[in-house]
Amino acid sequence: MKLSVVIPAYNRAKLLPITLRSLLAQERVADEILLIDDGSTDGTAEAAEAFGTPVRVIRQANQGPGAARNSGLAAAQGEFIHFFDSDDLA
């Protein structure tokens, strides 16, 4: 079973590390965590890239959270997809 987590994010550089650490601390870590940077201007993508594998960053022009989720779904390779908000804790 392959699990993908899709996180749409816009200007969440300060909160995102806490969110990613909570996902990575789970007993069953996702096979991939897709951070969809929706045109952020505050270093959101760089904050996510600092985590390395299994976090993967996809950048797009700002189109809103729905479009970011759709981009993540299209790129996800998992059998199961979990949508997660950029300010949530697992």
Side-chain angles (χ1 to χ4, degrees), residues 8-39:
Y10 177 74
N11 287 343
R12 292 292 193 172
K14 290 183 181 178
L15 290 175
L16 192 59
I18 298 167
T19 297
L20 292 174
R21 279 194 294 275
S22 78
L23 286 168
L24 294 169
Q26 298 304 300
E27 186 173 314
R28 167 62 166 94
V29 176
D31 297 289
E32 63 178 357
I33 299 171
L34 303 172
L35 184 284
I36 314 305
D37 180 16
D38 193 39

Side-chain angles (χ1 to χ4, degrees), residues 16-87:
L16 192 59
I18 298 167
T19 297
L20 292 174
R21 279 194 294 275
S22 78
L23 286 168
L24 294 169
Q26 298 304 300
E27 186 173 314
R28 167 62 166 94
V29 176
D31 297 289
E32 63 178 357
I33 299 171
L34 303 172
L35 184 284
I36 314 305
D37 180 16
D38 193 39
S40 297
T41 59
D42 71 343
T44 293
E46 292 79 9
E49 288 170 340
F51 281 84
T53 305
V55 178
R56 182 166 46 121
V57 175
I58 298 171
R59 298 171 195 235
Q60 68 179 33
N62 184 266
Q63 300 172 56
R69 284 184 187 93
N70 287 338
S71 294
L73 182 59
Q77 298 174 0
E79 224 179 315
F80 297 95
I81 312 296
H82 179 72
F83 292 103
F84 203 75
D85 289 333
S86 59
D87 61 351

